Amino acid sequence: MREVKPMNVPAHLAIIMDGNGRWAKKRSMPRFMGHAEGAKSVRVITEECARLGIKYLTLYAFSTENWKRPEKEVSFLMGLLGRYLDSETETLLKNNVRLFTIGDISKLPAKVSRKLESVKEKTSKNSGLKLVLALNYGSKNEILSAVKKIAEKAASGALKPGKITEETITQNLFTASIPDPDLMIRTSGEFRISNFLLWQLAYTELYITNVLWPDFRKKELLSAIRSYNKRDRRYGGIKSK
Ligand code: IPE
Ligand code: IPE
Ligand code: MG
């Protein structure tokens, strides 16, 4: 297969990792086995993104709406996240990956949020790929919290309403220090955003594949990047090539 030149990779890749349940169902397995296999894709894709020189990888791992799932599934996902953090810290360190999170992780089980804080701290000196896990993340909730922070500054007199700019909003989102994604992949063929990065995706290239997340590995990632390489990003302007 033709390799993708490192200079053509997106600086920020965001992924809606969907289809774990359907992957398991197709095999007459319980849903949790799809999640376990999906965790392997997380490992493979993170390592590959680090190798390709991608700067930011944002993975939608648990949405503010995913609490609606049966308690058993939610607790399996939380346990899986805890085990992932235990087993992957060494690999993250070895690959120079720094961990970040977006979303309100204080609502996750205390053991898991403590582990997250600890891995973020342990990897804080790493200068390679920035892995951003979206956990208990919802874009509407993120925008709401930004509006509240801005309103408080305005009410206290620290900020004049007339001085509020798009940049003010950007700087008050969970993603304040992170550039907008260049490419967003959604697996499992669903044509929706599901409350993911609504503000940040304004000019992101979208790639939707029928491949289910547990089957999304190196080959599928390279296909997505090849498709991205063919896009003409006009940002409302005129054709550039
Ligand atoms: C994605 O797979 C994982 C999470 C949302 C946590 P799903 O669990 O949504 O799998 P499907 O969409 O039911 O197949
Ligand atoms: C989106 O997938 C959330 C994550 C991948 C974490 P869902 O499976 O929850 O989304 P819907 O319900 O199909 O929109
Ligand atoms: Mg789903």
Side-chain angles (χ1 to χ4, degrees):
M1 190 199 303
R2 195 159 48 84
E3 256 296 355
V4 177
K5 288 196 198 85
M7 64 179 179
N8 293 332
V9 300
H12 182 176
L13 170 64
I15 308 181
I16 301 181
M17 310 183 289
D18 198 14
N20 294 352
R22 277 163 281 173
W23 184 92
K25 193 165 182 225
K26 257 174 56 183
R27 290 164 178 75
S28 310
M29 290 171 171
R31 289 178 59 84
F32 77 86
M33 292 187 73
H35 295 312
E37 194 61 25
K40 292 188 197 161
S41 295
V42 170
R43 205 165 294 149
V44 171
I45 296 302
T46 304
E47 203 154 12
E48 191 55 19
C49 286
R51 199 184 70 78
L52 287 168
I54 288 174
K55 292 193 169 62
Y56 295 86
L57 172 64
T58 300
L59 299 177
Y60 202 7
F62 195 86
S63 75
T64 47
E65 287 72 36
N66 287 148
W67 297 108
K68 290 180 197 159
R69 295 186 179 203
E71 205 251 286
K72 267 205 168 133
E73 179 163 347
V74 170
S75 59
F76 180 83
L77 286 167
M78 295 301 154
L80 185 65
L81 174 59
R83 290 195 294 284
Y84 164 84
L85 293 168
D86 289 338
S87 65
E88 286 313 289
T89 308
E90 280 313 307
T91 319
L92 297 180
L93 289 168
K94 189 185 92 202
N95 290 319
N96 197 21
V97 178
R98 181 167 177 187
L99 183 74
F100 291 86
T101 59
I102 52 173
D104 182 5
I105 63 164
S106 73
K107 300 288 187 304
L108 304 182
K111 217 169 115 186
V112 176
S113 56
R114 270 199 305 273
K115 268 185 199 166
L116 282 164
E117 294 301 357
S118 147
V119 180
K120 283 198 260 185
E121 172 57 32
K122 276 188 193 145
T123 60
S124 64
K125 302 275 185 311
N126 289 352
S127 56
L129 174 72
K130 292 174 175 63
L131 172 64
V132 184
L133 293 182
L135 291 164
N136 187 23
Y137 174 86
S139 190
K140 287 194 172 184
N141 170 264
E142 177 184 39
I143 293 169
L144 171 66
S145 102
V147 168
K148 283 183 181 164
K149 283 191 256 174
I150 296 167
E152 272 161 26
K153 281 178 216 162
S156 74
L159 178 65
K160 284 204 170 75
K163 294 272 186 227
I164 297 170
T165 61
E166 290 186 5
E167 192 53 26
T168 317
I169 297 173
T170 298
Q171 287 308 319
N172 282 281
L173 297 172
F174 301 141
T175 52
S177 61
I178 303 171
D180 290 344
D182 300 290
L183 174 64
M184 196 279 274
I185 298 173
R186 182 167 189 151
T187 59
S188 89
E190 234 60 84
F191 283 78
R192 55 176 171 264
I193 303 289
S194 301
N195 205 9
F196 188 47
L197 303 174
L198 301 178
W199 175 271
Q200 298 88 336
L201 292 176
Y203 263 108
T204 300
E205 295 298 323
L206 307 179
Y207 180 86
I208 292 164
T209 170
N210 286 328
V211 173
L212 305 173
W213 177 248
D215 291 327
F216 192 92
R217 299 286 161 93
K218 188 173 163 177
K219 181 170 139 291
E220 285 73 27
L221 176 67
L222 295 179
S223 299
I225 296 174
R226 263 201 300 279
S227 164
Y228 170 76
N229 273 251
K230 294 193 196 109
R231 311 286 177 91
D232 182 27
R233 303 186 73 187
R234 291 188 289 278
Y235 299 97
I238 57 170
K239 213 167 160 50
S240 68
K241 56 185 180 192

